[in-house]
Amino acid sequence: MPVEPPASVWEFPPVAMAGSGDVVAAGADLEPGTVLAAYRRGLFPMPDSHGPLLWWSPLERGVIDVAGFSPSRSLRRARQRFEIRVNTAFDDVIRACADPSRPGSWIDADIIASYTRLHRMGWVHSVEAWDGDELAGGLYGVAIGGLFAGESMFHHKTDGSKAAVAGLVELLDDKYAAERVLDIQWVTDHLATLGAAEIPREQYVRRVQRALELPLPDAFA
C-alpha cells in the first residue's frame, strides 16, 4: 500500500475560484505531500522555464472513459503485439518521457526526482509495453484511489504508447470502472484516436472527489 507522506505546508486555492484560465496557482514545491494534495484537488504541476512552478487544472479536462472504452481495430491489433507490465522499468519510462529531444518536452530534473520519490512511496506507477525483452513504449502516472492521472507517455517502437494506454484501461476495468477517473490532462489529436474526450473542469473535480473514495486497482495496490 502507498505510504502517506507528511501534509504539505502549502494550501491550494479552491479550483472553483480559479477563474477562466487553466493555471490555478504558482509556486509551492514538489514535496510528496504537496503533489498529492494537488491531485486530490484536481490540479497537477508543470514547470515554467521562465518563472515559478505552475499548477494546472484545465477548463476542459481530458479523460478516457474506462467503462465505455471501445478500442478501434487498429488499437486492438497494437495491444495484441505487446506484453503489458507494471513498474518493472519505472526509471527507464520516466526518463524516456523526459527526453529533451521530444517536441514540447517539459519534464525536468525536479519533476523526475519528485515522481521517482512518489514511485518509491507507492503513488506513481509505470505501465509498460514490452516486445520480448525490449521496452517498446509506456506511460507513468499517479494513482490515488479511483483516480489515475496520466502524466506522459513515449514509444520506442510503433504503437508502443498506444498499447500502454490500452493496457492501462484493462488494469482499471474492474467492478468500479464506471466511477474511476482516467485523467490525461488535455486531449490531443493522438489521444482522441484512443477514445479521449473533454469534460468541464467542474465536472472533473466532482468526479475526482468521488473517485478518491474507491479502492486502488489491484495492479497498483
Side-chain angles (χ1 to χ4, degrees), residues 20-70:
S20 59
D22 287 354
V23 175
V24 172
D29 56 40
L30 288 169
E31 288 295 309
T34 303
V35 176
L36 293 178
Y39 282 99
R40 286 166 171 151
R41 282 182 172 265
L43 307 172
F44 60 87
M46 188 174 287
D48 179 354
S49 59
H50 304 293
L53 179 66
L54 300 179
W55 299 88
W56 301 75
S57 184
L59 286 167
E60 296 295 328
R61 192 68 165 245
V63 297
I64 294 176
D65 181 7
V66 176
F69 187 67
S70 180

Side-chain angles (χ1 to χ4, degrees), residues 137-204:
L139 59 88
Y140 76 95
V142 180
I144 310 175
L147 167 67
F148 189 95
E151 284 296 304
S152 186
M153 61 184 183
F154 78 98
H155 70 274
H156 290 323
K157 291 191 172 185
T158 300
D159 292 336
S161 59
K162 286 184 179 181
V165 172
L168 171 60
V169 173
E170 292 171 8
L171 297 173
L172 300 177
D173 190 9
D174 57 16
K175 67 180 181 179
Y176 302 104
E179 300 171 89
R180 295 197 183 282
V181 176
L182 174 48
D183 167 29
I184 49 91
Q185 299 177 347
W186 289 281
V187 176
T188 63
D189 291 342
H190 174 62
L191 288 169
T193 68
L194 304 182
E198 293 180 336
I199 62 174
R201 177 163 63 194
E202 294 77 9
Q203 181 182 347
Y204 173 82

Side-chain angles (χ1 to χ4, degrees), residues 7-30:
S8 177
V9 299
W10 305 94
E11 185 166 348
F12 292 103
V15 172
M17 298 172 59
S20 59
D22 287 354
V23 175
V24 172
D29 56 40
L30 288 169

